[in-house]
């Protein structure tokens, strides 16, 4: 359960189950960010369930729920703050991993250029070319 590495701080993945956080911790991750709103899909674990599992395995946890078309400045600021303050490496997830990659790129945009961010995401399997104007 290594996820797809975006940079030295963050790897991303589709939804994981609470029991998979043990594997994530064993892989060396120190924190988890969930970018899924609760109730997005039937049967999806809640943020509270994920936090409890993260706590059980010694992982810091942050919930920054977003929907793809509605990522605002407050969401980007929350992600930037999480990337700067949570113990790294960080494992992030959403339904497919794309929203996590989008938030990462938007949070990193002030320190990087769009081409670098888009290419890093592409190498991890995410197409963020539609974000170019925001980066």
């Amino acid at each position: 359960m290594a996820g797809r590495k975006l940079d030295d701080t963050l790897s991303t993945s589709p939804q994981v189950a609470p029991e998979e956080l043990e594997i994530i911790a064993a892989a060396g991750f120190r924190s988890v960010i969930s970018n899924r709103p609760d109730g997005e899909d039937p049967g999806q674990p809640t943020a509270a369930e994920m936090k409890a599992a993260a706590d059980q395995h010694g992982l810091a946890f942050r919930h920054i729920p977003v929907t793809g078309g509605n990522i605002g400045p407050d969401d980007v600021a929350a992600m930037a703050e999480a990337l700067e303050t949570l113990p790294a490496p960080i494992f992030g997830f959403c339904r497919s991993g794309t929203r996590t990659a989008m938030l990462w790129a938007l949070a990193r945009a002030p320190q990087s250029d769009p081409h670098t961010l888009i290419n890093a995401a592409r190498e991890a399997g995410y197409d963020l070319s539609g974000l170019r104007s925001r980066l």
Side-chain angles (χ1 to χ4, degrees), residues 120-133:
R122 182 177 296 119
E123 288 176 17
Y126 299 101
D127 180 6
L128 302 187
S129 58
L131 278 184
R132 185 176 301 277
S133 65

Side-chain angles (χ1 to χ4, degrees), residues 104-118:
W104 163 82
L106 291 165
R108 294 291 194 226
Q111 301 92 17
S112 192
D113 67 276
H115 182 74
T116 300
L117 296 167
I118 290 168

Side-chain angles (χ1 to χ4, degrees), residues 36-109:
R36 285 197 87 178
D38 281 344
E40 185 175 44
D41 283 327
Q44 154 197 341
T46 66
E49 291 169 324
M50 295 303 291
K51 182 180 182 340
D55 290 347
Q56 180 180 2
H57 298 293
L59 296 164
F61 182 82
R62 191 75 50 92
H63 188 219
I64 306 169
V66 296
T67 55
N70 293 317
I71 296 174
D74 290 344
D75 303 316
V76 174
M79 186 68 162
E81 189 271 335
L83 293 173
E84 293 302 317
T85 62
L86 287 173
I90 302 168
F91 188 93
F93 70 89
C94 58
R95 185 185 331 206
S96 69
T98 302
R99 280 175 281 178
T100 301
M102 291 169 69
L103 276 167
W104 163 82
L106 291 165
R108 294 291 194 226

